């Protein structure tokens, strides 16, 4: 193993999130020791209280910006990071907490907290890229650990990450999974959702609900027309389908708004 000073420094930061994407890194049980031999895990509070000062060669950022303090802190993280990669639906699209973007956040605060005066929050939940330049966004809720290792390896080797931007449908075809929409008339967001999960839900005869967020150039209007027509899905259910973990991702937000009211 190289001396710690010779290895690139990796930092992992948390903003508004459930920690599930950080756990995906800890879930790399077989590869974690190998990774630790290649990088110095300099800041990762989910795993260790030890902290090594920056600057950092690669920062992984989980979570969205939901408070004034978050908005300040992400600037500091960016300034301390040579490369910054956002991981997960919260960091890349605002997460499930971006549902506040479609409502009045004060209503949520009043409903949830006994003493709302103590709560300091922004009206919206926004992705990290709305605040600072981001070098790569890895989608998913949670992210796929194989894709995460690929991204870390790519940055360490100064190459482009090999993370295909095609849809979940392609993964179904590659796996030989029968299409749940064609075979059973099940509404499925697979045609507009970013690959990465291995088409997990259709392999269990369920429609995809879009946890990996939009694929590159998704034709959401065409999918909604199919849902409304042959599949007889109601408008409010189309709104709900596009308003989950990736409600704030631009194509999903626009499609839900097109059917809302
Ligand atoms: S993207 Fe999903 S798994 Fe990751 S931190 Fe957000 S809520 Fe948790
Ligand atoms: S909801 Fe879609 S993207 Fe998420 S695990 Fe299921 S099939 Fe994959």
């Amino acid at each position: 193993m190289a001396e710690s000073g010779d290895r690139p420094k990796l930092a992992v930061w948390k903003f508004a999130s459930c920690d599930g994407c950080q756990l995906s890194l800890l879930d790399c049980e077989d590869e974690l020791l190998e990774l630790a031999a290649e990088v110095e895990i300099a800041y990762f509070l989910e795993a260790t209280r030890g902290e090594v000062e920056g600057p950092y060669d690669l920062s992984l950022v989980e979570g969205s910006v939901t408070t004034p303090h978050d908005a300040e802190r992400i600037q500091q993280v960016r300034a301390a990071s040579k490369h910054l990669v956002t991981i997960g639906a919260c960091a890349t699209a605002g997460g499930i907490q971006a549902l506040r973007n479609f409502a009045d956040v004060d209503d949520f605060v009043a409903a949830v907290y006994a003493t709302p005066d103590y709560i300091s929050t922004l009206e919206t939940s926004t992705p990290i890229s709305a605040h600072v330049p981001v070098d790569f966004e890895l989608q998913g809720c949670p992210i796929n650990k194989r894709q995460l290792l690929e991204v870390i390896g790519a940055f360490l080797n100064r190459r482009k990450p090999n993370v295909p931007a095609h849809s979940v449908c392609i993964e179904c075809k590659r796996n030989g999974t029968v299409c749940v929409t064609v075979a059973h008339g099940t509404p499925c967001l697979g045609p507009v959702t970013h690959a990465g999960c291995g088409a997990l839900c259709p392999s269990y005869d369920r429609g995809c609900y879009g946890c990996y967020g939009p694929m590159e150039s998704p034709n959401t209007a065409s999918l909604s027309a199919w849902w409304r027509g042959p599949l007889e899905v109601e408008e409010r259910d189309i709104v709900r389908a596009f308003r989950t973990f990736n409600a704030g991702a631009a194509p999903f937000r626009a499609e839900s708004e097109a059917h809302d009211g």
Side-chain angles (χ1 to χ4, degrees):
M1 183 190 294
E3 295 297 315
S4 64
D6 299 335
R7 285 175 286 152
K9 283 189 196 166
L10 174 74
V12 185
W13 308 93
K14 171 185 164 65
F15 286 77
S17 60
C18 80
D19 291 27
C21 290
Q22 294 183 73
L23 284 175
S24 296
L25 181 54
L26 291 176
D27 197 30
C28 298
E29 292 169 355
D30 293 340
E31 300 84 0
L32 210 48
L33 285 178
E34 213 176 311
L35 179 68
E38 297 298 324
V39 300
E40 182 181 8
I41 299 179
Y43 185 93
F44 188 7
L45 294 187
E46 177 99 0
T48 170
R49 273 186 287 174
E51 291 179 31
V52 178
E53 277 191 18
Y56 306 100
D57 294 281
L58 176 61
S59 277
L60 302 176
V61 179
E62 175 197 83
S64 66
V65 173
T66 58
T67 66
H69 179 239
D70 286 345
E72 278 179 34
R73 194 161 60 95
I74 191 58
Q75 301 295 338
Q76 294 160 7
V77 169
R78 177 69 266 191
S81 310
K82 191 169 169 193
H83 298 292
L84 188 154
V85 171
T86 51
I87 56 170
C90 298
T92 61
I96 194 78
Q97 56 273 30
L99 289 178
R100 72 174 66 178
N101 302 3
F102 302 88
D104 185 342
V105 71
D106 291 336
D107 291 343
F108 287 124
V109 171
V112 173
Y113 296 100
T115 313
D117 310 351
Y118 294 143
I119 303 301
S120 168
T121 190
L122 296 171
E123 286 181 8
T124 55
S125 169
T126 42
I128 300 300
S129 61
H131 300 266
V132 294
V134 167
D135 297 297
F136 190 80
E137 293 185 308
L138 184 61
Q139 296 180 202
C141 180
I143 52 168
N144 174 302
K145 67 179 185 179
R146 300 270 156 230
Q147 288 192 329
L148 177 60
L149 289 171
E150 161 59 21
V151 170
I152 294 173
F155 275 90
L156 293 179
N157 291 293
R158 300 180 187 181
R159 64 171 171 79
K160 186 170 178 269
N162 181 13
V163 177
H166 57 233
S167 72
V168 169
C169 281
I170 304 286
E171 297 193 300
C172 277
K173 303 297 172 285
R174 285 193 176 144
N175 298 345
T177 300
V178 173
C179 174
V180 295
T181 300
V182 171
H184 311 298
T186 305
C188 179
L189 285 179
V192 297
T193 298
H194 198 290
C197 68
L200 194 57
C201 297
S203 73
Y204 286 93
D205 273 342
R206 294 187 51 187
C208 167
Y209 49 92
C211 76
Y212 269 63
M215 64 176 288
E216 195 173 65
S217 307
N219 192 344
T220 52
S222 174
L223 185 69
S224 293
W226 183 259
W227 280 29
R228 259 200 330 269
L231 300 187
E232 300 179 349
V233 176
E234 291 186 24
E235 289 282 275
R236 62 177 185 170
D237 292 328
I238 294 177
V239 174
R240 284 190 187 138
F242 283 103
R243 256 180 220 172
T244 60
F245 318 96
N246 290 280
F252 283 11
R253 184 184 67 231
E255 194 58 31
S256 78
E257 287 172 343
H259 299 272
D260 191 11

